[in-house]
Amino acid sequence: MQGAAHGLDPVASVLFVCAGNICRSPTAEGVFRAAAARAGFAARIAADSAGIGDWHTGSPPDRRAIQAARRRGYDLTALRARQVEIGDFTRFGWILAMDRSNLRSLEAMRPHDFAGHLGLLLDLAPELRTREVPDPYYGGPDGFDHVLDLIEAASVVLLARVQRSLPPP
């Protein structure tokens, strides 16, 4: 986990998960971190991302994801792909999948004593009328902008939910 600002231990932690951790989940991590920072919660809420598979471990996000995010003021360049591990269920209270396939894989890994929230990111924002963040990898640049639209909207709702779960400072 890349942790919160100023070396403080975060109170809440969120993990975003997609297939390879180079498009959707690092975008969600970057957008959500920025939202938490704008709201003054960077030191209290940590965010990270991971992939179901290990195909891209150590790689930066897809260049198209980086470019689309940069156009909206997000910097994904420091992020590196990693694979989900069983310890993530101990380190993260919120584990959010980008699609149903990712969620099924996470449910299969889920320890019986995991007490956090495991679900689809977009289920937190039913007004978007879609449950899955589509994988833009094999499409054109418009797909990365659409992913950003969905993630930005869901991040607002997620941040409000996580804030409500935080104990007073």
Side-chain angles (χ1 to χ4, degrees):
M1 182 169 32
Q2 294 184 8
H6 311 296
L8 301 175
D9 288 331
V11 177
S13 53
V14 180
L15 179 67
F16 299 97
V17 179
C18 69
N21 194 213
I22 60 166
C23 295
R24 296 171 291 172
S25 58
T27 298
E29 176 186 351
V31 168
F32 185 73
R33 280 179 182 228
R38 281 191 307 270
F41 284 88
R44 298 194 72 208
I45 302 172
D48 198 1
S49 60
I52 296 298
D54 65 354
W55 317 286
H56 302 290
T57 298
S59 297
D62 184 286
R63 66 175 172 70
R64 297 166 297 172
I66 290 172
Q67 290 166 350
R70 184 179 296 134
R71 285 192 299 271
R72 296 197 192 185
Y74 306 109
D75 183 4
L76 308 182
T77 58
L79 304 181
R80 295 295 177 265
R82 71 175 187 87
Q83 187 174 21
V84 175
E85 52 193 49
I86 197 73
D88 289 331
F89 287 91
T90 302
R91 290 187 294 272
F92 295 94
W94 296 79
I95 300 179
L96 299 163
M98 298 297 114
D99 63 39
R100 289 179 188 100
S101 174
N102 306 146
L103 183 58
R104 281 190 299 275
S105 296
L106 290 165
E107 287 169 339
M109 294 177 67
R110 178 186 189 157
H112 69 279
D113 60 344
F114 177 67
H117 178 95
L118 175 61
L120 293 172
L121 172 64
L122 295 188
D123 277 354
L124 299 175
E127 67 279 3
L128 295 175
R129 299 192 152 161
T130 185
R131 297 187 69 207
E132 298 184 311
V133 178
D135 189 346
Y137 187 77
Y138 293 106
D142 290 350
F144 290 86
D145 289 322
H146 181 60
V147 164
L148 274 161
D149 292 340
L150 294 171
I151 288 172
E152 284 177 332
S155 289
V156 171
V157 178
L158 173 59
L159 182 58
R161 293 263 314 260
V162 173
Q163 284 176 294
R164 285 193 302 271
S165 74
L166 292 173

